[in-house]
Coordinates of all heavy atoms in Angstrom, one line a residue:
A237 N 4.9 -7.3 0.9 CA 4.8 -5.8 0.9 C 6.0 -5.2 1.7 O 5.9 -4.7 2.8 CB 3.5 -5.4 1.6
P238 N 7.2 -5.3 1.0 CA 8.4 -4.8 1.7 C 8.4 -3.2 1.8 O 9.1 -2.7 2.6 CB 9.5 -5.2 0.8 CG 8.9 -5.4 -0.6 CD 7.5 -5.9 -0.3
Y239 N 7.6 -2.6 1.0 CA 7.5 -1.1 1.0 C 6.1 -0.7 1.6 O 5.1 -1.4 1.4 CB 7.6 -0.5 -0.4 CG 8.9 -1.0 -1.1 CD1 8.8 -1.7 -2.2 CD2 10.1 -0.7 -0.6 CE1 10.0 -2.2 -2.9 CE2 11.3 -1.1 -1.2 CZ 11.2 -1.9 -2.3 OH 12.3 -2.3 -3.0
V240 N 6.1 0.4 2.3 CA 4.9 0.9 2.9 C 3.8 1.1 1.9 O 2.6 0.8 2.1 CB 5.2 2.2 3.7 CG1 3.9 2.7 4.3 CG2 6.2 2.0 4.8
E241 N 4.2 1.7 0.7 CA 3.2 1.9 -0.3 C 2.5 0.7 -0.8 O 1.4 0.8 -1.3 CB 3.9 2.6 -1.5 CG 4.4 4.0 -1.2 CD 5.8 4.0 -0.7 OE1 6.3 3.0 -0.2 OE2 6.5 5.1 -0.7
W242 N 3.1 -0.5 -0.7 CA 2.6 -1.7 -1.1 C 1.6 -2.3 -0.1 O 1.0 -3.4 -0.3 CB 3.7 -2.7 -1.4 CG 4.4 -2.4 -2.6 CD1 4.4 -1.2 -3.3 CD2 5.4 -3.2 -3.3 NE1 5.3 -1.3 -4.4 CE2 5.9 -2.5 -4.4 CE3 5.8 -4.6 -3.1 CZ2 6.8 -3.0 -5.3 CZ3 6.8 -5.1 -4.0 CH2 7.2 -4.3 -5.1
L243 N 1.5 -1.7 1.1 CA 0.5 -2.2 2.1 C -0.9 -2.0 1.6 O -1.8 -2.7 2.1 CB 0.7 -1.5 3.4 CG 2.0 -1.8 4.2 CD1 2.1 -0.9 5.4 CD2 2.0 -3.3 4.6
G244 N -1.1 -1.2 0.6 CA -2.5 -1.0 0.0 C -2.6 -2.0 -1.1 O -1.8 -2.0 -2.0
Q245 N -3.6 -2.8 -1.1 CA -3.8 -3.9 -2.1 C -3.9 -3.3 -3.5 O -3.4 -3.9 -4.5 CB -5.0 -4.7 -1.8 CG -4.9 -5.5 -0.5 CD -6.2 -6.3 -0.2 OE1 -7.1 -6.4 -1.0 NE2 -6.2 -6.9 1.0
K246 N -4.5 -2.1 -3.6 CA -4.6 -1.5 -5.0 C -3.3 -1.1 -5.6 O -3.2 -1.0 -6.8 CB -5.6 -0.4 -4.9 CG -7.0 -0.7 -4.7 CD -7.9 0.5 -4.8 CE -9.4 0.1 -4.9 NZ -9.9 -0.4 -3.6
E247 N -2.3 -0.9 -4.7 CA -1.0 -0.4 -5.2 C 0.0 -1.6 -5.2 O 1.2 -1.4 -5.7 CB -0.5 0.8 -4.4 CG -1.2 2.1 -4.6 CD -2.6 2.1 -3.9 OE1 -2.7 1.5 -2.7 OE2 -3.6 2.6 -4.4
N248 N -0.3 -2.7 -4.6 CA 0.6 -3.8 -4.5 C 0.7 -4.6 -5.8 O -0.4 -4.9 -6.4 CB 0.2 -4.8 -3.4 CG 1.2 -5.8 -3.1 OD1 1.4 -6.7 -3.9 ND2 1.7 -5.8 -1.9
P249 N 1.9 -4.8 -6.4 CA 2.0 -5.5 -7.7 C 1.3 -6.8 -7.8 O 0.9 -7.2 -8.8 CB 3.5 -5.6 -7.9 CG 4.1 -4.5 -7.0 CD 3.2 -4.4 -5.8
E250 N 1.3 -7.5 -6.6 CA 0.7 -8.9 -6.6 C -0.7 -8.9 -6.0 O -1.3 -9.9 -5.9 CB 1.6 -9.8 -5.8 CG 3.0 -9.9 -6.3 CD 3.1 -10.5 -7.7 OE1 2.2 -11.3 -8.1 OE2 4.0 -10.1 -8.5
G251 N -1.2 -7.7 -5.7 CA -2.6 -7.6 -5.1 C -2.7 -8.0 -3.7 O -3.8 -8.2 -3.1
Y252 N -1.5 -8.2 -3.0 CA -1.6 -8.4 -1.6 C -1.7 -7.1 -0.9 O -1.8 -6.1 -1.5 CB -0.3 -9.2 -1.1 CG -0.1 -10.6 -1.8 CD1 0.9 -10.8 -2.7 CD2 -0.9 -11.6 -1.4 CE1 1.0 -12.1 -3.3 CE2 -0.8 -12.9 -1.9 CZ 0.2 -13.1 -2.9 OH 0.3 -14.3 -3.4
G253 N -1.6 -7.1 0.5 CA -1.6 -5.9 1.2 C -2.5 -5.9 2.4 O -3.3 -6.8 2.7
W254 N -2.3 -4.9 3.2 CA -2.9 -4.8 4.5 C -4.4 -4.3 4.4 O -5.3 -4.8 5.1 CB -2.2 -3.7 5.4 CG -2.6 -3.7 6.8 CD1 -3.8 -3.3 7.4 CD2 -1.8 -4.1 7.9 NE1 -3.8 -3.4 8.7 CE2 -2.5 -3.9 9.1 CE3 -0.5 -4.5 8.1 CZ2 -2.0 -4.1 10.4 CZ3 0.0 -4.7 9.4 CH2 -0.7 -4.5 10.5
A255 N -4.6 -3.4 3.5 CA -6.0 -2.8 3.4 C -6.4 -2.6 1.9 O -5.5 -2.5 1.1 CB -6.0 -1.5 4.2
T256 N -7.7 -2.5 1.7 CA -8.2 -2.3 0.3 C -8.3 -0.9 -0.1 O -8.6 -0.6 -1.3 CB -9.5 -3.0 0.2 OG1 -10.5 -2.5 1.1 CG2 -9.4 -4.5 0.5
G257 N -8.2 0.0 0.9 CA -8.4 1.4 0.6 C -7.4 2.0 -0.4 O -6.2 1.6 -0.3
E258 N -7.9 2.8 -1.3 CA -7.0 3.4 -2.3 C -5.9 4.3 -1.7 O -6.2 5.0 -0.8 CB -7.8 4.2 -3.3 CG -7.0 4.6 -4.5 CD -7.9 5.3 -5.6 OE1 -9.1 5.2 -5.5 OE2 -7.3 5.8 -6.6
R259 N -4.7 4.1 -2.1 CA -3.5 4.9 -1.6 C -3.3 4.7 -0.1 O -2.8 5.6 0.5 CB -3.7 6.4 -2.0 CG -3.6 6.6 -3.5 CD -3.6 8.1 -3.8 NE -2.5 8.8 -3.2 CZ -1.2 8.8 -3.7 NH1 -0.9 8.2 -4.8 NH2 -0.3 9.5 -3.0
Y260 N -3.7 3.6 0.4 CA -3.5 3.3 1.8 C -2.1 3.5 2.3 O -1.8 4.3 3.3 CB -4.0 1.9 2.2 CG -3.8 1.5 3.6 CD1 -4.7 1.8 4.6 CD2 -2.7 0.7 4.0 CE1 -4.6 1.4 5.9 CE2 -2.5 0.4 5.3 CZ -3.4 0.7 6.3 OH -3.3 0.3 7.6
G261 N -1.2 2.9 1.7 CA 0.2 3.0 2.1 C 0.8 4.4 1.8 O 1.6 4.9 2.5
Y262 N 0.4 5.0 0.7 CA 0.9 6.3 0.3 C 0.5 7.3 1.4 O 1.2 8.3 1.7 CB 0.4 6.7 -1.1 CG 1.1 6.1 -2.2 CD1 0.8 4.8 -2.7 CD2 2.2 6.7 -2.8 CE1 1.5 4.2 -3.7 CE2 2.9 6.1 -3.8 CZ 2.6 4.9 -4.3 OH 3.3 4.3 -5.3
D263 N -0.7 7.2 1.9 CA -1.2 8.1 3.0 C -0.3 8.0 4.2 O 0.1 9.0 4.8 CB -2.6 7.7 3.4 CG -3.6 8.1 2.3 OD1 -3.3 8.9 1.4 OD2 -4.8 7.7 2.4
I264 N 0.1 6.8 4.5 CA 1.0 6.6 5.7 C 2.4 7.2 5.4 O 2.9 7.9 6.3 CB 1.2 5.1 6.0 CG1 -0.2 4.5 6.4 CG2 2.3 4.8 7.0 CD1 -0.2 3.0 6.6
V265 N 2.9 7.1 4.2 CA 4.2 7.7 3.9 C 4.1 9.2 4.0 O 5.0 9.9 4.5 CB 4.6 7.3 2.5 CG1 5.9 8.1 2.0 CG2 5.0 5.8 2.5
E266 N 3.0 9.8 3.5 CA 2.8 11.2 3.7 C 2.8 11.7 5.1 O 3.4 12.7 5.5 CB 1.5 11.7 3.0 CG 1.6 11.6 1.4 CD 0.3 12.0 0.8 OE1 -0.7 12.4 1.5 OE2 0.1 11.9 -0.4
M267 N 2.2 10.8 6.0 CA 2.2 11.1 7.4 C 3.6 11.1 8.0 O 4.0 11.9 8.8 CB 1.3 10.1 8.1 CG -0.2 10.3 7.8 SD -1.2 8.9 8.5 CE -1.2 9.5 10.2

């Protein structure tokens, strides 16, 4: 997950990630 948006498993191309919540990484980027 080199990008913050990919920290969310639902948005990660390979299904990896920090958390399962939808748009998890996108929320962080907005912050």
Side-chain angles (χ1 to χ4, degrees):
Y239 307 117
V240 178
E241 292 88 344
W242 289 13
L243 290 173
Q245 292 179 10
K246 288 187 171 72
E247 291 76 38
N248 189 292
E250 303 297 328
Y252 296 110
W254 191 294
T256 59
E258 190 172 353
R259 294 186 59 80
Y260 176 83
Y262 281 86
D263 288 347
I264 294 174
V265 172
E266 288 179 4
M267 295 172 75

